[in-house]
């Protein structure tokens, strides 16, 4: 069992190409169902991690393949990676 605060300590890695996407900055929770809908990670261009909401990317829960002690493995396609991380 993980707490949502534990997600902030985990690095997100794309299993398709091994790219390190960053660390979780937030989670989206469906309050009616009580389930996590997505994780949010900064995608570069943010000033001190505070400015630039447009530069966050949302990774849907169904794209998460494995949650380990230190990392979260996701499976994202090339279009997503180019749009948010290049």
């Amino acid at each position: 069992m993980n707490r949502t605060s534990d997600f902030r300590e985990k690095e997100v890695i794309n299993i398709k190409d091994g790219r390190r996407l960053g660390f979780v900055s937030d989670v989206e929770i469906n309050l009616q169902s009580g389930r996590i809908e997505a994780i949010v990670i900064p995608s570069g261009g943010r000033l001190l991690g505070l400015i630039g909401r447009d530069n966050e990317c949302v990774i849907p829960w169904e794209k998460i393949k494995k949650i380990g002690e230190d990392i979260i493995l996701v499976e994202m396609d090339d279009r997503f990676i180019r749009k948010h991380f290049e």
Side-chain angles (χ1 to χ4, degrees):
M1 179 76 70
N2 283 315
R3 296 174 186 227
T4 55
S5 61
D6 293 340
F7 281 91
R8 291 181 159 252
E9 300 170 9
K10 299 181 188 296
E11 186 171 21
V12 180
I13 298 176
N14 185 17
I15 61 174
K16 285 208 169 198
D17 61 5
R19 186 182 299 229
R20 298 172 134 184
L21 304 179
F23 288 85
V24 176
S25 64
D26 206 354
V27 293
E28 290 186 358
I29 299 173
N30 180 324
L31 294 178
Q32 293 179 341
S33 69
R35 296 187 183 266
I36 295 175
E37 298 276 321
I39 58 174
V40 180
I41 57 176
S43 61
R46 293 180 62 166
L47 179 61
L48 302 174
L50 301 172
I51 302 171
R53 179 113 178 126
D54 293 339
N55 291 332
E56 292 180 336
C57 66
V58 177
I59 298 177
W61 187 255
E62 55 272 2
K63 296 293 184 178
I64 297 173
K65 299 303 176 189
K66 181 78 173 172
I67 299 174
E69 281 190 44
D70 300 324
I71 63 170
I72 298 173
L73 299 176
V74 299
E75 187 171 5
M76 304 303 297
D77 64 25
D78 291 337
R79 291 175 298 167
F80 176 85
I81 297 300
R82 279 196 300 271
K83 178 179 178 185
H84 293 285
F85 295 97
E86 292 184 348

